[in-house]
Amino acid sequence: MGYARIALLGPPGAGKGTQAKRIVEATGFVHLSTGDILRDEVARGTQLGVEAKGFMDRGELVPDELIVNMIRGRIEAASSGFLLDGFPRTLAQAEALEKIVALDIVININLSREEVVNRLTSRRVCRNCGAIYNLHFKPPADPTRCEACGGALYQRDDDQPDVISNRYQVYEESTAPLVEFYRQRGLLQDVDAERPSDEVFECITALLRA
Ligand code: AP5
């Protein structure tokens, strides 16, 4: 792959986590998902987890300072390549990131609001290994068990319809402006996610090889 410092942008449920898992499998880059890191902090009951939980449950963003402090060291440690998933999410985060490292490419995964709601209300995630399923588009053989590791599948607390609606609004207000921010810097590449996961992956790998 030609690029080693990559960020995935896009609304909640666009498929960032799904594609990120495949990209890091193919490249060996470090997957840095701020959502996954925060959920782990919540599950372990750390101070950061306690502070973040209320924001996450309401579908609001966790304050920039907490997020930047949480991710900075992980980015600096990933010297052979990283894939940012869910970060940056505000202009302040993007500006802080520029001071840590220069990105090679930002992939903007586009999906309509209607399809976001459709995919998120039917998402299930493995509590053990984090594998992502969908009751309609990628149904597990047993809707309660992960096919990869046998772990229990669960529905994320923030995948309730009212929280999804709030997350989408927050995306439009706070994160969508980053599309222009990165376009102006010549880093942005758009990908249409309204098609099967394999096709989205092919499109992304073609961009990363360029
Ligand atoms: P985070 O975990 O980052 O959530 P998100 O950005 O809302 O994204 P999701 O994980 O919900 O969706 P995704 O795009 O990864 O889609 P997925 O691949 O699962 O953040 C959660 C919370 O943490 C935030 O609300 C905030 O509070 C906090 N937070 C995190 N980062 C932060 C930051 N930087 N600053 C401040 N706060 C932060 O796919 C969705 C579903 O669709 C799955 O079921 C999947 O199987 C299915 N699917 C995927 N692709 C396809 C396809 N092509 N066709 C059909 N189905 C598909």
Side-chain angles (χ1 to χ4, degrees), residues 13 16-18 34 39 60 86 89 93 123 133 167 195:
K16 300 182 295 296
T18 299
T34 42
R39 279 183 289 279
E60 294 166 9
R89 230 167 166 115
Q93 291 181 17
R123 172 168 60 185
Y133 295 89
R167 286 163 64 199
R195 49 193 170 155

Side-chain angles (χ1 to χ4, degrees), residues 10-19 33-36 38-39 52 55-57 59-64 67 85-90 93 115 119-120 122-124 132-135 137-138 156 158-159 167 193 195-198 200:
K16 300 182 295 296
T18 299
Q19 297 301 329
S33 158
T34 42
D36 285 351
L38 287 168
R39 279 183 289 279
F55 295 104
M56 297 173 78
D57 286 350
E60 294 166 9
L61 295 180
V62 175
D64 290 330
I67 295 290
D85 162 8
F87 177 87
R89 230 167 166 115
T90 63
Q93 291 181 17
E115 189 58 17
R119 288 186 188 179
L120 288 183
S122 50
R123 172 168 60 185
R124 296 293 181 274
I132 303 167
Y133 295 89
N134 191 285
L135 298 182
F137 303 107
K138 192 188 170 194
R156 273 171 45 176
D158 60 354
D159 279 350
R167 286 163 64 199
R195 49 193 170 155
S197 186
D198 286 350
V200 178

Side-chain angles (χ1 to χ4, degrees), residues 21-158:
K21 284 177 194 302
R22 295 185 66 171
I23 297 164
V24 296
E25 235 178 75
T27 59
F29 296 158
V30 179
H31 181 192
L32 294 174
S33 158
T34 42
D36 285 351
I37 298 167
L38 287 168
R39 279 183 289 279
D40 180 59
E41 297 279 345
V42 171
R44 290 189 292 115
T46 64
Q47 192 191 335
L48 172 58
V50 171
E51 284 183 60
K53 187 175 183 335
F55 295 104
M56 297 173 78
D57 286 350
R58 292 189 296 273
E60 294 166 9
L61 295 180
V62 175
D64 290 330
E65 198 189 332
L66 291 181
I67 295 290
V68 173
N69 287 340
M70 177 183 91
I71 198 82
R72 183 194 309 276
R74 289 175 163 93
I75 293 173
E76 287 166 348
S79 50
S80 60
F82 59 78
L83 180 68
L84 293 172
D85 162 8
F87 177 87
R89 230 167 166 115
T90 63
L91 282 170
Q93 291 181 17
E95 283 161 3
L97 176 61
E98 283 191 323
K99 293 189 184 131
I100 301 170
V101 73
L103 292 174
D104 295 328
I105 185 170
V106 177
I107 295 173
N108 182 34
I109 305 185
N110 292 299
L111 194 66
S112 67
R113 188 183 194 285
E114 190 189 5
E115 189 58 17
V116 161
V117 175
N118 195 17
R119 288 186 188 179
L120 288 183
T121 48
S122 50
R123 172 168 60 185
R124 296 293 181 274
V125 182
C126 175
R127 207 175 276 288
N128 181 47
C129 73
I132 303 167
Y133 295 89
N134 191 285
L135 298 182
H136 301 312
F137 303 107
K138 192 188 170 194
D142 173 347
T144 65
R145 290 280 146 207
C146 176
E147 288 175 4
C149 74
L153 298 184
Y154 79 108
Q155 185 167 27
R156 273 171 45 176
D157 290 342
D158 60 354

